[in-house]
Amino acid sequence: MPEFAVELRNVSKRFPGPSGEEVVAVNHVTMQIRDGEFFSMLGPSGCGKTTSLRMIAGFEMPTNGEVFIHDRPMGQTPPYRRPVNTVFQNYALFPHMAIGENVAFGLEMKGVPRAEIGPRVKQALEMVRLPGYEKRRPKQLSGGQQQRVALARALVNRPEVLLLDEPLGALDLKLRKEMQLELKTLQREVGITFIYVTHDQEEALTMSDRIAVMSQGVVRQVGAAAEIYEEPNSRFVADFIGETNFIDGTVRAVNGGEVEFEVGGLTIIAHAPAGVTHGQKATLAVRPERIRLTPARPADTVNAFAGEVRESIYLGTDTRYFVQLAPTVSVRVRQQNVVPVGMPALEGPTGVQVWASWTSDSAQVLVE
Amino acid sequence: MTETARRGSRWQLGGLLAPGAGWLLLFFNLPLVIVLFISFVERGRAGSIKWPPVFTLENYIDFFDALYLGIFANSVRIAFIVTAICLLFGYPLAYFISQRHPRWRDALLLLVMIPFWTNFLVRTYALKQVLGAEGLINSLLIGAGLIPGPLDLLFNEFAVIVGLVYGYLPFAVLPMYASIEKFDFALMEAASDLGANQARAFLRVMLPMTLPGVIAAFVLTFVPVVGAFITPDIMGGGKVEMIATLINRQFGVARNWPFGSAISLVLMLLVLIGVIAQFRFGGEERRTL
């Protein structure tokens, strides 16, 4: 078995725009999706994720480059000859067919013998927890149920790769969260490579083995959820995934993987990528939940700064603070409410003096 | 609501309905009853009917003559051919228009409808000029040296079919357009994704889903075509007999009002059966959607 289920080699897609100009939807993208993994393409709308998916499905053909599925170049192969199936955003169930007919459609097109179709349809519907729904019509089903039928209709064909185009977008939040876990479980059970397109970072983090963060037709970073969250390689990725404090300053000293970063009279020890040089302008990224607030200076931390609480917002599970560390430097802090009412020292409105601290590996220098 | 108010609104409703209902009663239902009556009496000597009337079934029995049944069958056959051509030409056209940018769509639909703004009789005479021995088509072909002499394009069944297709194509395009325009083309992608090539995706998904429009187009074309008079009369030049030309002859030269009335009612019955069947079938279709 080849290592990669799907490979995009230097793939570009250009469309004629509405007023004659060319729109580059996907710009020289190279991506390798491993066999059997749950891979997400994540990015804001217009980042090229859906176009990339549609090129794998065969609905769009690349302007340049080549798409490979299990090492076979796809060229101009039409969708109906590709070993992939798609779950569409609005399900795209055939309204004039019963659920059973919908699920059987792909098998019929492939010429699977009649005697085999019935049992396979039954099995597929059981897999998505809709046993006995064969005779119902799509309109009689709820959104979540229709979504499951769409899954069954695709998976019954045993595709080499399953493509999912924001399949949970139309569902309400609670159902979406349920379906996320269900999808992940299903993927492990069937062992098929899933390529999932979404603009919802939480969704991508929840389900994916690996995530490709895209923007403006380019892949910004590919990696496991933790990798992308902990070590974003650019300001865009750090900003798009979760919440981050960005502090613009200057690199003062470089010691291997760590640097001294200076801003507004503060010196911060932080992690930095290779190639950062002395005197370089850069951005420091610190996650709000990595900053600890204490009434007194903590003994064990390299980065500890006195500050003043400007605002605090109670959010139930945690509380958010805006802390001023220097005249030009302020940070957002998120602290979990593990004790009933926040930190006693921080009660009261604003103006409380605190110490904000974080470890050197919680701060990341970004040059891009 | 008080009793007086209700009675008042009833009077208002009556007032609004009366003109239309009265018009239909006087100029549609009453003549129909007269036609029904005439179809069951003996003809008079100088046209019209025998007075006092003598009731008979003769007019209907006469109709089951090979000659008249042949004309009837011919009309139905021509109507089927014309309707089939209208559907085959109209569907791709409706599809094409539905795929245009909204800005162009309205303009294209307008182009389909523009012929309605000209009198049908005038349009038919114009078409006659195009097909004639010295008409546009023959002149061009002879001028290009493709044919030695003019083709017989006029006063035959071909001319009648061309004329009817020309006249009724918009009736086929518009209902099919309405259906195709509502069709979700993501379903074609879904079908393609599931292994259906374009032909199978069309036959299994798009055609069944746009069938209500096709059926409506069929009825809207077939019904007027089977009873068409002007086109077979002008384009056929008296050589192509259809039901309507036969009826016309009974009230004209043949001076046989009772027989003409009987044929009219048989035609009406046929169309009625067709329309009811369509509603039944179309209704079924809508239920399953």
Side-chain angles (χ1 to χ4, degrees):
Chain A
M1 202 69 175
E3 188 187 355
F4 300 126
V6 175
E7 215 184 330
L8 273 67
R9 276 191 213 153
N10 202 23
V11 169
S12 294
K13 180 67 185 180
R14 290 186 284 276
F15 290 110
S19 44
E21 82 285 7
E22 231 181 24
V23 176
V24 184
V26 173
N27 198 358
H28 299 286
V29 162
T30 295
M31 236 188 303
Q32 280 122 7
I33 293 133
R34 293 178 197 138
D35 205 47
E37 77 175 335
F38 196 124
F39 187 90
S40 289
M41 292 195 255
L42 172 68
S45 65
C47 73
K49 56 190 192 297
T50 295
T51 306
S52 298
L53 195 79
R54 289 173 62 81
M55 285 193 283
I56 300 170
F59 300 134
E60 312 282 354
M61 299 299 169
T63 317
N64 296 113
E66 184 74 275
V67 174
F68 295 83
I69 297 175
H70 281 130
D71 287 352
R72 299 188 300 278
M74 284 296 115
Q76 300 292 309
T77 310
Y80 54 87
R81 291 216 191 91
R82 294 194 182 203
V84 300
N85 285 113
T86 308
V87 176
F88 294 88
Q89 188 167 10
N90 296 313
Y91 326 133
L93 297 181
F94 304 126
H96 60 301
M97 296 183 196
I99 299 306
E101 293 173 283
N102 263 283
V103 179
F105 191 86
L107 298 176
E108 262 177 62
M109 290 300 122
K110 262 200 253 168
V112 172
R114 287 246 161 239
E116 203 184 309
I117 291 179
R120 275 177 73 171
V121 168
K122 188 168 178 285
Q123 192 196 346
L125 285 173
E126 278 164 7
M127 180 178 65
V128 296
R129 301 199 287 113
L130 290 173
Y133 274 62
E134 279 92 340
K135 294 272 178 278
R136 309 259 187 118
R137 296 267 158 189
K139 269 198 179 159
Q140 296 172 302
L141 269 54
S142 71
Q145 289 174 324
Q146 290 187 37
Q147 188 51 261
R148 293 211 184 107
V149 174
L151 262 171
R153 186 177 70 169
L155 284 173
V156 76
N157 304 295
R158 296 173 191 155
E160 292 177 24
V161 179
L162 185 73
L163 309 174
L164 303 104
D165 184 10
E166 308 222 14
L168 308 183
L171 304 179
D172 63 61
L173 187 67
K174 193 158 173 282
L175 195 56
R176 201 153 66 215
K177 299 228 174 200
E178 273 175 40
M179 283 297 289
Q180 286 172 8
L181 295 177
E182 219 172 288
L183 268 176
K184 181 69 195 158
T185 313
L186 192 64
Q187 193 262 339
R188 280 211 199 96
E189 275 170 22
V190 295
I192 291 172
T193 311
F194 277 32
I195 303 180
Y196 192 97
V197 157
T198 181
H199 65 269
D200 183 334
Q201 42 126 344
E202 202 188 311
E203 203 165 280
L205 293 176
T206 307
M207 294 187 287
S208 318
D209 294 317
R210 288 195 309 147
I211 301 167
V213 183
M214 297 182 73
S215 85
Q216 298 180 321
V218 178
V219 175
R220 291 310 184 94
Q221 189 171 5
V222 182
E227 214 176 313
I228 284 185
Y229 189 82
E230 305 288 348
E231 291 160 40
N233 66 358
S234 61
R235 189 174 171 141
F236 175 82
V237 173
D239 197 23
F240 193 75
I241 311 274
E243 199 189 349
T244 310
N245 290 296
F246 291 111
I247 303 164
D248 292 320
T250 315
V251 176
R252 283 291 172 227
V254 184
N255 312 308
E258 280 193 353
V259 296
E260 277 179 30
F261 185 87
E262 198 245 292
V263 55
L266 309 175
T267 301
I268 302 166
I269 311 294
H271 264 209
V276 173
T277 54
H278 177 84
Q280 191 175 356
K281 297 268 178 223
T283 302
L284 189 80
V286 192
R287 299 286 184 188
E289 75 276 10
R290 290 301 168 80
I291 302 175
R292 209 150 51 100
L293 296 184
T294 44
R297 184 190 173 107
D300 55 340
T301 323
V302 286
N303 296 313
F305 309 99
E308 188 184 307
V309 175
R310 289 283 179 201
E311 201 169 341
S312 70
I313 300 166
Y314 176 73
L315 293 171
T317 55
D318 42 34
T319 303
R320 294 184 55 165
Y321 303 93
F322 293 87
V323 182
Q324 191 91 41
L325 301 179
T328 57
V329 185
S330 64
V331 289
R332 284 167 292 171
V333 182
R334 209 175 174 108
Q335 293 225 308
Q336 260 202 312
N337 292 327
V338 286
V339 287
V341 195
M343 281 173 56
L346 296 178
E347 276 172 35
T350 58
V352 179
Q353 298 298 316
V354 290
W355 282 85
S357 60
W358 59 86
T359 58
S360 65
D361 56 3
S362 294
Q364 186 84 16
V365 170
L366 305 169
V367 288
E368 216 181 289
Chain B
M1 203 187 281
T2 65
E3 190 58 33
T4 16
R6 202 175 298 143
R7 200 176 304 141
S9 79
R10 196 175 297 156
W11 276 109
Q12 279 172 5
L13 187 67
L16 287 169
L17 283 178
W23 186 276
L24 279 177
L25 217 64
L26 194 63
F27 295 110
F28 180 74
N29 292 4
L30 187 65
L32 197 62
V33 171
I34 295 172
V35 169
L36 190 67
F37 169 76
I38 294 177
S39 75
F40 282 105
V41 298
E42 282 183 16
R43 65 187 284 203
R45 206 152 294 166
S48 188
I49 55 170
K50 203 175 259 178
W51 202 260
V54 181
F55 285 92
T56 174
L57 289 176
E58 200 71 15
N59 303 313
Y60 288 92
I61 294 164
D62 279 353
F63 182 75
F64 289 92
D65 178 287
L67 174 70
Y68 301 128
L69 284 178
I71 292 170
F72 198 81
N74 200 39
S75 296
V76 171
R77 185 178 56 83
I78 289 176
F80 265 117
I81 293 170
V82 169
T83 308
I85 294 173
C86 283
L87 295 185
L88 285 175
F89 287 7
Y91 197 96
L93 182 60
Y95 169 76
F96 174 83
I97 295 172
S98 73
Q99 294 307 98
R100 293 312 99 191
H101 190 278
R103 187 172 34 181
W104 294 110
R105 247 183 264 162
D106 293 345
L108 287 167
L109 281 176
L110 201 67
L111 283 179
V112 171
M113 287 185 281
I114 274 179
F116 285 134
W117 299 351
T118 311
N119 182 288
F120 187 56
L121 196 60
V122 173
R123 278 190 284 144
T124 307
Y125 273 115
L127 190 62
K128 193 177 157 189
Q129 298 307 309
V130 173
L131 293 180
E134 285 163 19
L136 185 72
I137 292 174
N138 274 321
S139 310
L140 281 176
L141 289 176
I142 293 168
L146 292 172
I147 49 169
L151 298 172
D152 279 333
L153 299 176
L154 210 52
F155 307 135
N156 52 28
E157 197 178 294
F158 169 78
V160 173
I161 289 171
V162 169
L164 287 170
V165 169
Y166 167 66
Y168 292 94
L169 188 58
F171 290 95
V173 172
L174 295 178
M176 290 196 289
Y177 170 81
S179 262
I180 294 170
E181 204 253 341
K182 273 185 284 173
F183 177 70
D184 176 10
F185 280 90
L187 297 177
M188 291 299 272
E189 279 193 352
S192 176
D193 187 72
L194 292 166
N197 60 29
Q198 287 194 321
R200 297 178 88 181
F202 174 75
L203 290 173
R204 290 290 305 272
V205 178
M206 188 170 168
L207 188 60
M209 290 207 63
T210 53
L211 201 59
V214 176
I215 292 169
F218 182 91
V219 173
L220 284 176
T221 313
F222 186 84
V223 168
V225 165
V226 78
F229 171 68
I230 291 178
T231 317
D233 191 52
I234 296 173
M235 303 299 285
K239 289 181 191 148
V240 181
E241 191 89 274
M242 284 179 72
I243 304 173
T245 57
L246 178 66
I247 294 168
N248 179 57
R249 205 141 42 83
Q250 303 314 310
F251 286 95
V253 288
R255 296 204 163 268
N256 192 346
W257 290 14
F259 187 50
S261 301
I263 312 170
S264 301
L265 288 168
V266 170
L267 173 63
M268 210 177 124
L269 203 68
L270 171 93
V271 168
L272 210 61
I273 290 168
V275 171
I276 288 169
Q278 185 265 329
F279 275 129
R280 279 280 162 83
F281 184 51
E284 191 96 34
E285 201 51 42
R286 245 167 273 136
R287 243 202 319 280
T288 60
L289 277 183

